[in-house]
Amino acid sequence: MRDQGDRPACVAFAVSSFHELCCEVVHLGKSRIELDLSEEFLFYGCKQLDALVNASGTTVVAASKWLETKGQCREQLHPYQTAGPLLAVPSPAAFADANTRTLGHFKRVPLTFETVTTTLTQRLPLVAVIELFRSARTPGKDGRLAMPAKGEHR
C-alpha cells in the first residue's frame, strides 16, 4: 500500500502498480513484486502528454503513451514528492533507466462485470479507473458510497 498524499496522482500510482506486476509477475514469472517504480516519473510524463494544463489529475491514456515511448524508472532515481517542487524534471539517469522498462500500448476494454471477471480469471493485470465525487468521501452507515448528486463536481 502506498500513500500518494494530497496530490492528484492516483492514475500514476495505479498504473505504476500495474507496470510492476507486468514486469515482475507476468513477464518474469515471479510470485511477488519486488520492483519499485517511480510514480513521480510517470506522473511527470503524463503531465507532459495529457494537455490538462488546468486540471490536477491525468489520464490512463497519457500514462500508456508515456510507458510505451519513455518507460518508467526505479523509484530511487526519481522519488515521489509529497511536498516541495512538484513535477521536477527527471535526471538523464532516470530517463536512461526508464528506457529499459517500456510497456506496450494498453488495450481498452469496456468496464463491465464480465470483462473484469474474465480478465482476472485469466490472471491478466487490469487497470480500472472509477471517477469519484465529493459524496464518495464519506460512506454511509452500511459502508456503501452514495451515487453523486445531479451536478455534483469531483
Side-chain angles (χ1 to χ4, degrees):
M1 191 61 73
R2 297 178 185 159
D3 183 4
Q4 73 184 51
D6 196 25
R7 290 182 63 201
C10 55
V11 168
F13 273 76
V15 173
S16 292
S17 294
F18 174 84
H19 192 190
E20 290 164 353
L21 179 73
C22 288
C23 288
E24 299 270 277
V25 177
V26 175
H27 295 291
L28 296 179
K30 292 184 176 181
S31 60
R32 54 181 262 179
I33 298 171
E34 297 171 2
L35 181 63
D36 186 13
L37 295 176
S38 171
E39 292 88 0
E40 186 76 16
F41 184 87
L42 182 56
F43 191 58
Y44 167 84
C46 290
K47 295 312 291 179
Q48 306 310 301
L49 299 176
D50 67 17
L52 299 173
V53 178
N54 295 322
S56 57
T58 190
T59 67
V60 174
V61 172
S64 174
K65 288 179 181 176
W66 185 262
L67 290 177
E68 188 174 12
T69 59
K70 303 291 185 186
Q72 190 172 10
C73 71
R74 290 170 287 136
E75 175 69 17
Q76 70 243 35
L77 292 172
H78 197 66
Y80 188 71
Q81 303 297 313
T82 56
L86 304 179
L87 296 178
V89 177
S91 68
F95 276 102
D97 183 68
N99 196 40
T100 68
R101 239 172 265 98
T102 58
L103 186 64
H105 189 72
F106 294 11
K107 179 182 177 185
R108 188 174 194 157
V109 296
L111 186 57
T112 64
F113 180 77
E114 183 180 328
T115 58
V116 170
T117 304
T118 302
T119 301
L120 296 177
T121 301
Q122 294 174 355
R123 302 183 57 87
L124 296 172
L126 174 74
V127 174
V129 177
I130 302 169
E131 188 173 21
L132 294 179
F133 293 81
R134 292 189 194 281
S135 60
R137 294 183 182 175
T138 308
K141 291 180 182 178
D142 62 358
R144 295 182 181 187
L145 301 177
M147 293 299 289
K150 186 176 181 179
E152 182 178 4
H153 297 284
R154 290 187 272 158

